[in-house]
Amino acid sequence: MGKGTLLYAQSGGVTAVINATASAVIQAARARKVKVLAARNGILGALREELLDTSRESAADIRALAHTPGGAFGSCRYKLKSLEEDGARYRRLLEVLEAHDVRWFLYNGGNDSADTALKLSRLAEAAGYPLTCVGVPKTVDNDLVATDNCPGFGSAAKYTAVSVAEAALDVAAMADTSTKVFVYEAMGRHAGWLAAAAGLAGRGPDEAPQLILFPERPYDEDDFLRRVRQVVERVGWCLVVASEGIRTPEGRFVADAGGGKDAFGHTQLGGVAPYLAARVKDALGLKVHWTLPDYLQRSARHLASKTDLEQAQAVGRKAVEYALAGMNGVMPVIVRRSQAPYRWTVQPAPLAKIANHEKKMPAGFIRRDGYGITAAARRYLEPLIRGEAPPPYGRDGLPRYVRLKNRQVPKRLPAWEA
Amino acid sequence: MGKGTLLYAQSGGVTAVINATASAVIQAARARKVKVLAARNGILGALREELLDTSRESAADIRALAHTPGGAFGSCRYKLKSLEEDGARYRRLLEVLEAHDVRWFLYNGGNDSADTALKLSRLAEAAGYPLTCVGVPKTVDNDLVATDNCPGFGSAAKYTAVSVAEAALDVAAMADTSTKVFVYEAMGRHAGWLAAAAGLAGRGPDEAPQLILFPERPYDEDDFLRRVRQVVERVGWCLVVASEGIRTPEGRFVADAGGGKDAFGHTQLGGVAPYLAARVKDALGLKVHWTLPDYLQRSARHLASKTDLEQAQAVGRKAVEYALAGMNGVMPVIVRRSQAPYRWTVQPAPLAKIANHEKKMPAGFIRRDGYGITAAARRYLEPLIRGEAPPPYGRDGLPRYVRLKNRQVPKRLPAWEA
């Protein structure tokens, strides 16, 4: 390959394996002698012309990216609107790409990034600028359509299932004289994918998590508390997994119930887990503990799923392949070829089918009583957490996570204000 | 060996490696043909005559205990008072031990259990019953005197340092448009050992955690908020680690500040992390996130420290050796023989020196400004998190944690009510 540069950008919340995708992108491009720039802080870096020269990074450091969580070039929460509303921004993007001879743009994110990549490709086409835009899937939320699952989800799912299994052993050992109810809050504002993954930790109604609260089901406090009491009576203790997105029958987020301002006007931060724990304490008089892992669940590269890692790398490689083949407006997606043995492959899907759509959890994945997962959910989820891919550790007992040089290339355009 | 039984009991909060101690105890006793009973739910099981026959467990299951978190026989929070106040309970204990021909009692716990073991041994001596009592150290709090460190602490410390390092990469990647301040709440009601371990995640004032709040220092809100602002201005984001035990200058736990009852009489659960996060949001207007790992930090066997695991096993083996040698009223403790290379050994210490004492963190471990650890702390802590000892994983992507049969031996005494 001769002329032309590939620009790679990360978007939205980072995951344990988004850097593994970046690593695969850069390695695949290097193998084809294509120069790769990375936008600092996602699309904002492209707008600000803050472009990082990945050719300054050693081969060893690019390999090490595959076991480093976070977002090595920075990511951002910044959604471009329609071409009409955000025309100036799209035009600026195109100017920056043109100034750096970018012919291939890879945008690694979720629905929104698929949308942005698609719009940019249309604008380039209209402007007669030869640009191939490829979306690359990533999200712990697992909410992209057209793909069987999203890179990033499997590792967060593994973290969730393992953490719940471990906490359950702790609670079971102490329940006689200490904590009887433990509440684990899982990410998932709109869909209960991660809460469902917790269900992999146990089998049968007496194994933890005995109760899962999904955002797909309205939160019925009386019914929930009755069930907690029943489980404690039967098992001796109860582990509850609650999705951060559960809502009351009136549609209000339960997480907001504990929040607001106190009498002094001070903010009280909400949270589903502390709210539920307090209700259990008040209504049932049981000793409760709760956990809110928050970012730990999406950055736990030390507990990544090997399946997830391999898929994250595969979509990165395929994205480069598609881009260099001029396949514009597509995303490499994961297709489940067979269930047992689990086999998957990567194929292109049109961004137009992915942008702005959200995959919900199938109704058949939630148990009829609303508090657990079905065998179908287990079949779907289990292969995604399979296999371990631990990072190398140093003599100091810590994972050897890499920090890149991230040298910026000189700007060629006037400064730009967002 | 011929006659006589060894009774093993777990006490207080469980850890990632207390079962590794149990595993070593049972293996060492089996090698000497000594029968081992385990008390169900700690000392309560001994009082209730709920004794589990470990000879019913396979050698493979006992080996697997070494990689299984929680407390395999159950533990409890139950403190026996003085011989005067709790005479009936001590006498009942002795009756149960005598009824099952228990000649060696191993109590695996912290200060309180050392105290109980000591009192029991004195009572037995006064009663002319031949009983050797040995304490076995265990606590994530690392607060036992006479030992360089406590089994259980190293793994929780490794969990803390790794989790903070991973969360820091996440926050750093997103700070431009998302979370600027992240608060991690570490266990440690009285001493900041685990908060200090978080300090291993970074070096220098700009690496996470940039601010650590220790229970050893009064919490000064204005000073804290000023420092958060300074770090955000300098670094772009700030990771705060706060010990659950921090207090105001007046001595009130900060964790209680957010708690209490709301206007409807509903309990609001407190927590240091959500409280600090809310203050940062109110005072500095910065986007905050927070995590409270709670039991996850002490049950994360998947991330155990190899040093910790080896020490947990070593104290178990030595406890059996001391007991069978008739060394009454001692505890095997860890002695640091050399710093570089790190070398340790186990030796007996009298329970009388350990019972009811609490090891504080040395003042020289906290940085002069109060918000970080010193080089001395790093030298002490770092070997304790060294090495990895992951559990085996199944085809389902989950660790293969063992569940014992826990068959109870027939009771020989009338029932007893606590």
Side-chain angles (χ1 to χ4, degrees), chain B residues 217 361-367 374:
Chain B
R217 294 282 180 278
M361 205 161 57
F365 277 17
I366 299 179
R367 221 168 48 198
T374 60

Side-chain angles (χ1 to χ4, degrees), chain A residues 10 12-15 41 44 48 68-78 158-159 161-179 182 184 187 200-203 207 257-259 261-262 265-271 273-275 277-279 281-282 287-296 298-303 341-342 382 385-388 391 393-399 401-403, chain B residues 10 12-15 41 44 48 68-78 158-159 161-179 182 184 187 200-203 207 257-259 261-262 265-271 273-275 277-279 281-282 287-296 298-303 341-342 382 385-388 391 393-399 401-403:
Chain A
Q10 301 181 326
V14 294
T15 77
N41 296 326
L44 276 173
R48 294 168 178 159
T68 300
F73 310 108
S75 184
C76 69
R77 296 209 178 279
Y78 186 87
K158 189 180 184 100
Y159 174 93
V162 172
S163 297
V164 165
E166 291 179 333
L169 290 171
D170 189 307
V171 175
M174 305 290 300
D176 189 46
T177 52
S178 181
T179 298
F182 186 72
Y184 179 107
M187 280 185 165
L200 295 173
R203 291 171 183 274
E207 291 193 18
K261 300 274 184 183
D262 69 10
H266 292 158
T267 296
Q268 304 271 82
L269 292 179
Y275 175 82
R279 293 294 72 72
K281 190 178 170 188
D282 280 350
K287 179 164 182 193
V288 290
H289 258 244
W290 53 278
T291 181
L292 194 152
D294 197 63
Y295 291 162
L296 305 190
R298 72 181 197 192
S299 57
R301 179 61 185 84
H302 75 269
L303 192 53
Y342 174 60
E382 192 263 315
I385 71 163
R386 231 180 250 167
E388 294 68 55
Y393 283 77
R395 276 279 299 161
D396 59 0
L398 295 171
Y401 294 142
V402 70
R403 192 174 307 179
Chain B
Q10 301 182 326
V14 295
T15 76
N41 296 326
L44 276 173
R48 296 168 178 158
T68 299
F73 310 108
S75 184
C76 68
R77 296 208 177 280
Y78 186 88
K158 188 179 184 97
Y159 174 93
V162 172
S163 296
V164 165
E166 292 180 332
L169 290 171
D170 189 308
V171 175
M174 305 290 299
D176 189 46
T177 52
S178 183
T179 298
F182 187 72
Y184 179 108
M187 280 184 165
L200 295 173
R203 291 172 183 275
E207 291 194 18
K261 301 272 184 185
D262 68 10
H266 293 157
T267 296
Q268 304 271 82
L269 293 179
Y275 175 82
R279 293 294 74 71
K281 191 179 169 186
D282 279 350
K287 180 166 181 194
V288 290
H289 258 245
W290 53 277
T291 182
L292 193 152
D294 197 64
Y295 291 161
L296 304 191
R298 71 182 196 193
S299 57
R301 178 61 184 83
H302 76 269
L303 193 54
Y342 174 61
E382 193 263 314
I385 71 162
R386 232 180 250 168
E388 294 69 53
Y393 283 76
R395 277 277 299 159
D396 60 1
L398 295 171
Y401 294 143
V402 72
R403 192 174 308 179

Side-chain angles (χ1 to χ4, degrees), chain A residues 34-56:
Chain A
V34 171
K35 180 178 165 187
V36 177
L37 296 178
R40 187 193 296 279
N41 296 326
I43 204 74
L44 276 173
L47 286 164
R48 294 168 178 159
E49 203 189 357
E50 293 177 358
L51 306 178
L52 308 171
D53 185 357
T54 70
S55 70
R56 307 291 288 268

Side-chain angles (χ1 to χ4, degrees), chain B residues 243-261:
Chain B
S243 178
E244 62 174 332
I246 58 169
R247 296 170 190 244
T248 63
E250 295 76 37
R252 279 180 290 108
F253 281 113
V254 172
D256 298 337
K261 301 272 184 185

Side-chain angles (χ1 to χ4, degrees), chain B residues 11-293:
Chain B
S11 177
V14 295
T15 76
V17 298
I18 186 172
N19 285 335
T21 299
S23 173
V25 163
I26 295 168
Q27 288 176 325
R30 283 186 179 186
R32 291 157 180 255
K33 309 254 187 279
V34 170
K35 180 178 164 188
V36 178
L37 296 178
R40 187 194 294 280
N41 296 326
I43 204 73
L44 276 173
L47 286 164
R48 296 168 178 158
E49 203 189 357
E50 293 176 357
L51 306 178
L52 309 171
D53 184 357
T54 70
S55 70
R56 307 292 289 268
E57 315 293 345
S58 71
D61 280 359
I62 296 301
R63 273 197 306 276
L65 267 190
H67 64 247
T68 299
F73 310 108
S75 184
C76 68
R77 296 208 177 280
Y78 186 88
K79 184 169 160 53
L80 283 160
K81 298 178 195 145
S82 68
L83 284 170
E84 292 69 38
E85 288 173 280
D86 260 340
R89 288 195 178 81
Y90 283 101
R91 284 192 298 278
R92 162 74 182 185
L93 271 182
L94 213 52
E95 272 172 36
V96 172
L97 301 191
E98 212 166 339
H100 292 269
D101 195 24
V102 172
R103 302 301 176 91
W104 306 284
F105 176 56
L106 266 53
Y107 203 19
N108 199 172
N111 307 310
D112 290 352
S113 353
D115 183 57
T116 300
L118 184 62
K119 288 187 173 122
L120 188 63
S121 78
R122 285 176 183 159
L123 185 69
E125 208 172 337
Y129 178 71
L131 179 71
T132 303
C133 292
V134 171
V136 197
K138 172 272 347 171
T139 165
V140 295
D141 294 332
N142 204 36
D143 59 356
L144 290 183
V145 295
T147 185
D148 179 69
N149 60 285
C150 298
F153 170 68
S155 293
K158 188 179 184 97
Y159 174 93
T160 305
V162 172
S163 296
V164 165
E166 292 180 332
L169 290 171
D170 189 308
V171 175
M174 305 290 299
D176 189 46
T177 52
S178 183
T179 298
K180 296 261 192 306
V181 179
F182 187 72
V183 185
Y184 179 108
E185 179 168 337
M187 280 184 165
R189 195 82 173 161
H190 304 295
W193 288 106
L194 281 175
L200 295 173
R203 291 172 183 275
D206 290 356
E207 291 194 18
Q210 290 92 359
L211 299 173
I212 302 177
L213 301 178
F214 297 96
E216 287 82 358
R217 294 282 180 278
Y219 168 67
D220 177 338
E221 194 148 285
D222 291 340
D223 189 56
F224 167 66
L225 292 169
R226 187 167 56 245
R227 284 168 189 271
V228 171
R229 198 184 55 233
Q230 286 167 352
V231 172
V232 173
E233 281 168 1
R234 204 172 66 234
V235 182
W237 52 277
C238 180
L239 198 150
V240 177
V241 170
S243 178
E244 62 174 332
I246 58 169
R247 296 170 190 244
T248 63
E250 295 76 37
R252 279 180 290 108
F253 281 113
V254 172
D256 298 337
K261 301 272 184 185
D262 68 10
F264 306 98
H266 293 157
T267 296
Q268 304 271 82
L269 293 179
V272 165
Y275 175 82
L276 296 176
R279 293 294 74 71
V280 166
K281 191 179 169 186
D282 279 350
L284 307 179
L286 296 171
K287 180 166 181 194
V288 290
H289 258 245
W290 53 277
T291 182
L292 193 152

